[in-house]
């Protein structure tokens, strides 16, 4: 190899999720099914522009869209409306001065921003506890900034349920002051969330051990169809227990704004003074990272969040998306039973959110791809939104064939 300034760069394999999408797009079979990357598809298997987003865009066009820079921390109306969405409108008034917001490049950007803030405030870098399995980017975002990430068992693959005992054990034996990644709802990839009672239990240990909770919140409203329901854990921690916490919001899934990269970091701090100091640090970190965030998607989200009429319409879109996903879970289950697919399948309907965790071996996943043109993550996570009335029987039949 010729000498290079970059000679120390070892070859890294492509990102598994994006590589899967590329493989699907390159497949010429007319039967192909994409159950890989989490992006909502309608009943015809097509990307869906939310009717509310289309209306918001029309309103924006009427008023005229400028292409000026946003402030460094992002669009104020968008950030305030996001903070209100997170803690709920009733609690917002009493909480606002202790909340810090910073617009981000979707959920990943807000995770990155809170990681940078923690690294600045704690140069020795606390350990980051991450449930396993998890969204692959959690380890990458924190690992790339030099944090030591420690996975703990979240899921029992035998019973196909959340393993609360291991979870509690992991938190109890954690070093005080560690950072903890929580999936607010619709756990990616398992689709298994703690119950309200479980959250009460977890919160108590988190408080006792002085762990810092980061809520990865990419699916608010998308899980159950109700923002209030899906925000339960956040509001319990922040509003009821008054705990410091970070909330990493993405509007990719729940507004279908995948490519616009619309997100926001919301941090609940212990006082107005800490909030102001924290905000100034986030602003400086943001300036050095991206200077100022992208405007268009944030304006769409802000138009929706700040208009009572569009907000109502968005609530309806959330019900449309979450209900179709629920129906497809049931349809997959029914078809697997009809096909006599070996094994039990009730976990498919028990899980919730965008993803289903089927429990297939990597070799079955491979066979589904190679023989049947059905694409899913190697751990057999499927994006349930990729199913529709035209392909669900085919998918179930293929799974049954591979297992028989
Ligand atoms: C997924 O988990 O498939 C999505 O969140 C897309 C991504 O960026 O990984």
């Amino acid at each position: 190899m010729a000498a290079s300034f970059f000679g120390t760069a070892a070859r890294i394999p492509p990102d598994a999720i994006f590589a899967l999408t590329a493989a699907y797009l390159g497949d010429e079979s007319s039967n192909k099914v994409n159950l890989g990357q989490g992006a909502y598809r309608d009943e015809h298997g097509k990307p869906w522009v939310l009717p509310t987003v289309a209306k918001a865009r029309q309103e924006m066009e009427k008023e005229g869209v400028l292409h000026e820079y946003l402030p460094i921390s992002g669009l104020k109306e968008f950030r305030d409306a996001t903070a209100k969405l997170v803690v709920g409108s009733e609690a917002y008034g009493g909480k606002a001065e202790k909340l810090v917001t910073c617009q981000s490049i979707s959920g990943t950007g807000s995770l990155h921003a809170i990681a940078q803030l923690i690294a600045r405030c704690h140069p020795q870098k606390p350990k980051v506890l991450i449930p396993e399995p998890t969204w692959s980017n959690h380890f990458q975002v924190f690992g790339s900034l030099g944090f030591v990430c420690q996975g703990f068992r979240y899921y029992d693959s035998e019973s196909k349920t959340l393993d609360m005992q291991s979870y509690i054990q992991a938190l109890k034996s954690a070093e005080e002051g560690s950072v903890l990644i929580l999936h607010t709802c619709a756990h990616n990839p398992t689709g298994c969330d703690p119950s309200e009672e479980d959250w009460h239990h977890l919160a108590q240990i988190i408080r006792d051990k002085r762990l810092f909770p980061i809520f990865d919140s990419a699916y608010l409203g998308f899980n159950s169809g109700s923002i209030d329901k899906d925000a339960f854990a956040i509001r319990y921690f922040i509003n009821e227990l008054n705990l410091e916490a970070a909330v990493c919001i993405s509007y990719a899934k729940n507004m279908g704004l995948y490519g616009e990269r619309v997100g926001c970091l919301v941090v609940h701090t212990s006082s107005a003074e800490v909030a102001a100091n924290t905000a100034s640090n986030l602003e400086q970190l943001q300036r050095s990272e991206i200077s100022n965030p992208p405007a268009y998607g944030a304006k769409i989200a802000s138009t929706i969040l700040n208009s009572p009429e569009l907000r109502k319409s968005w609530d309806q879109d959330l019900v449309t998306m979450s209900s179709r996903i629920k129906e497809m879970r049931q349809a997959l289950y029914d078809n697997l039973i009809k096909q006599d697919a070996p094994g039990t399948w009730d976990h498919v309907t028990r899980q919730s959110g965008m993803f289903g965790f089927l429990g297939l071996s990597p070799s079955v996943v491979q066979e589904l791809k190679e023989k049947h043109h059905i694409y899913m993550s190697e751990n057999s996570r499927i994006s349930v939104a990729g199913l529709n009335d035209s392909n669900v029987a085919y998918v179930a039949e293929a799974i049954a064939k591979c297992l028989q």
Side-chain angles (χ1 to χ4, degrees):
M1 200 163 39
S4 166
F5 196 62
F6 305 104
T8 53
R11 180 76 63 96
I12 292 168
D15 181 85
I17 289 185
F18 279 80
L20 195 68
T21 305
Y24 166 81
L25 292 173
D27 187 332
E28 285 173 6
S29 165
S30 55
N31 289 334
K32 66 179 178 177
V33 181
N34 188 6
L35 306 177
Q37 196 162 38
Y40 184 76
R41 296 290 176 257
D42 68 8
E43 64 273 32
H44 310 294
K46 298 271 181 274
W48 197 54
V49 177
L50 272 61
T52 313
V53 167
K55 280 185 234 159
R57 279 200 328 228
Q58 277 169 8
E59 281 193 14
M60 284 161 59
E61 287 301 331
K62 258 193 261 156
E63 284 173 22
V65 183
L66 294 177
H67 298 283
E68 299 297 297
Y69 289 130
L70 290 183
I72 296 169
S73 298
L75 189 66
K76 174 106 170 64
E77 308 89 272
F78 163 76
R79 291 187 284 122
D80 289 350
T82 298
K84 202 167 178 182
L85 187 81
V86 163
V87 297
S89 36
E90 270 173 41
Y92 182 65
K95 283 288 175 196
E97 64 171 18
K98 295 201 285 174
L99 293 172
V100 183
T101 55
C102 185
Q103 191 183 320
S104 63
I105 307 286
S106 208
T108 304
S110 62
L111 284 162
H112 186 77
I114 188 64
Q116 279 184 313
L117 181 67
I118 293 169
R120 174 170 281 189
C121 297
H122 301 271
Q124 82 290 1
K125 292 196 181 122
K127 260 203 192 124
V128 180
L129 307 174
I130 302 182
E132 276 191 307
T134 194
W135 182 46
S136 55
N137 232 3
H138 286 149
F139 281 93
Q140 291 205 105
V141 169
F142 285 88
S144 69
L145 287 169
F147 283 88
V148 173
C149 298
Q150 194 176 303
F152 64 87
R153 188 174 134 113
Y154 179 86
Y155 181 72
D156 179 353
S157 49
E158 278 296 306
S159 63
K160 300 193 174 73
T161 53
L162 166 60
D163 183 350
M164 261 309 270
Q165 232 169 347
S166 300
Y167 200 161
I168 288 169
Q169 204 41 50
L171 299 195
K172 282 193 171 161
S173 54
E175 273 168 39
E176 277 210 6
S178 297
V179 170
L180 172 65
I181 304 293
L182 300 164
H183 296 234
T184 307
C185 62
H187 182 271
N188 178 4
T190 69
C192 297
D193 293 326
S195 65
E196 291 191 2
E197 202 184 329
D198 292 336
W199 279 119
H200 291 161
H201 202 158
L202 294 169
Q204 204 178 337
I205 309 168
I206 289 166
R207 184 167 54 180
D208 292 349
K209 297 284 296 193
R210 297 151 54 83
L211 306 178
F212 181 74
I214 297 179
F215 286 97
D216 184 341
S217 304
Y219 300 94
L220 280 192
F222 196 92
N223 191 38
S224 68
S226 152
I227 296 278
D228 292 338
K229 229 184 200 177
D230 290 350
F232 168 81
I234 299 174
R235 294 181 188 174
Y236 178 65
F237 278 53
I238 294 180
N239 301 351
E240 291 194 35
L241 302 183
N242 202 26
L243 293 177
E244 289 199 314
V247 183
C248 298
I249 292 287
S250 159
Y251 289 102
K253 324 277 179 180
N254 58 12
M255 286 197 185
L257 296 172
Y258 298 92
E260 281 73 15
R261 317 307 291 139
V262 194
C264 192
L265 170 65
V266 180
V267 189
H268 177 238
T269 65
S270 61
S271 71
E273 193 191 348
V274 174
N277 295 345
T278 305
S280 69
N281 277 272
L282 278 171
E283 186 171 289
Q284 193 202 37
L285 288 165
Q286 176 113 303
R287 174 72 167 143
S288 66
E289 193 83 13
I290 57 167
S291 186
N292 54 89
Y296 191 68
K299 287 182 185 170
I300 296 176
S302 182
T303 304
I304 295 171
L305 295 170
N306 287 302
S307 147
E309 198 188 310
L310 290 179
R311 177 59 216 274
K312 235 193 217 161
S313 160
W314 181 43
D315 285 342
Q316 190 48 53
D317 293 344
L318 290 170
V319 171
T320 302
M321 293 190 285
S322 56
S323 310
R324 203 188 82 70
I325 287 177
K326 264 181 230 145
E327 279 164 26
M328 284 303 118
R329 284 186 180 285
Q330 188 64 47
L332 178 61
Y333 172 82
D334 292 345
N335 278 282
L336 286 166
I337 298 299
K338 194 166 143 200
Q339 294 292 335
D340 255 334
T344 57
W345 299 101
D346 50 310
H347 56 285
V348 173
T349 46
R350 233 183 16 239
Q351 298 162 356
S352 74
M354 179 158 239
F355 301 110
F357 207 47
L358 295 185
L360 306 175
S361 68
S363 64
V364 169
V365 170
Q366 183 80 3
E367 195 179 332
L368 283 165
K369 181 164 76 177
E370 283 170 6
K371 276 204 192 146
H372 303 279
H373 309 273
I374 297 169
Y375 291 76
M376 67 182 72
S377 301
E378 200 191 3
N379 60 9
S380 80
R381 183 199 81 168
I382 59 165
S383 173
V384 181
L387 294 171
N388 54 57
D389 287 338
S390 311
N391 65 20
V392 66
Y394 171 72
V395 169
E397 193 185 338
I399 293 173
K401 268 191 196 147
C402 291
L403 291 174
Q404 271 148 7

